[in-house]
């Protein structure tokens, strides 16, 4: 179906991550992902979903009367039509962010979109899928995110940040894998190393646990 996307869910909640944490946000979760990270918390979006027209998606988003929109997945860039949807959302005046795994190119993403780019660590099991050229397209309106499983992941990310001066490309975020890496441990490491990063925890999980659609 032309002008349509496979959608797992559309819902309104508080943004639980990134520098937009705490803002009321409409989440558009697309179906499908080429990665299988060991800590994935949205595996239910790998398959299934419902094909929805752009107009249906736009009408559903408008019904929430919320300015901030987050396009996520799965991996939203796995569906090529997402670029047109994001253009339409930007044209409509929404403040739009895109959460992407870093495995697919962000070169064609509308520059009005804030791109939240994951950098996959060794602990994710998907480091080999990284599309490193994405770093060349980042600006200070985008964000780089590391999800860390353990001390080894942290040291790997710390060294990469220092070697490539990632904080000069975009704000850098670090978060611990939920119920795997104690947040206080990560906080101590960041402070000890004086890293130029923002540590974050997943607000939505603190509030509501791991239920979909919140």
């Amino acid at each position: 179906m032309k002008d349509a996307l496979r959608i797992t869910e559309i819902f309104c909640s508080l943004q639980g991550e990134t520098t937009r944490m705490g803002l009321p946000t409409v989440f558009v979760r697309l179906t499908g992902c080429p990665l299988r990270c060991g800590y994935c918390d949205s595996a239910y979006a790998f398959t299934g979903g419902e094909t929805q027209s752009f107009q249906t998606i736009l009408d559903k988003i408008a019904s929430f009367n919320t300015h901030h929109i987050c396009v996520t997945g799965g991996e939203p860039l796995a569906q090529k039509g997402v670029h047109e949807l994001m253009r339409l959302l930007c044209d409509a005046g929404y403040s739009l962010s895109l959460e992407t795994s870093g495995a697919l190119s962000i070169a064609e993403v509308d520059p009005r979109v804030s791109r939240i780019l994951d950098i996959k660590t060794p602990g994710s099991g998907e480091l080999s899928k990284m599309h490193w050229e994405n770093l060349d397209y980042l600006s200070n309106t985008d964000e780089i995110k590391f999800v860390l499983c353990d001390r080894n992941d942290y040291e790997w990310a710390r060294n990469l940040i220092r070697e490539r001066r990632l904080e000069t490309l975009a704000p850098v975020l670090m978060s611990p894998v939920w119920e795997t890496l104690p947040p206080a441990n990560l906080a101590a490491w960041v402070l000890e190393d004086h890293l130029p990063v923002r540590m974050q925890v997943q607000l939505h999980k603190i509030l509501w646990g791991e239920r979909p659609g919140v």
Side-chain angles (χ1 to χ4, degrees), residues 203-214:
L203 176 63
H204 54 294
K205 291 185 180 179
I206 294 172
L207 294 175
W208 300 298
E210 296 192 89
R211 290 186 291 130
V214 293

Side-chain angles (χ1 to χ4, degrees), residues 146 148 154 157 161 173-175 186 190 195 197-200:
F146 291 92
L148 307 174
Y154 170 77
I161 291 166
L173 312 172
M174 281 187 163
S175 61
L186 177 55
V190 168
L195 274 191
V197 304
R198 179 193 295 262
M199 182 192 155
Q200 60 173 6

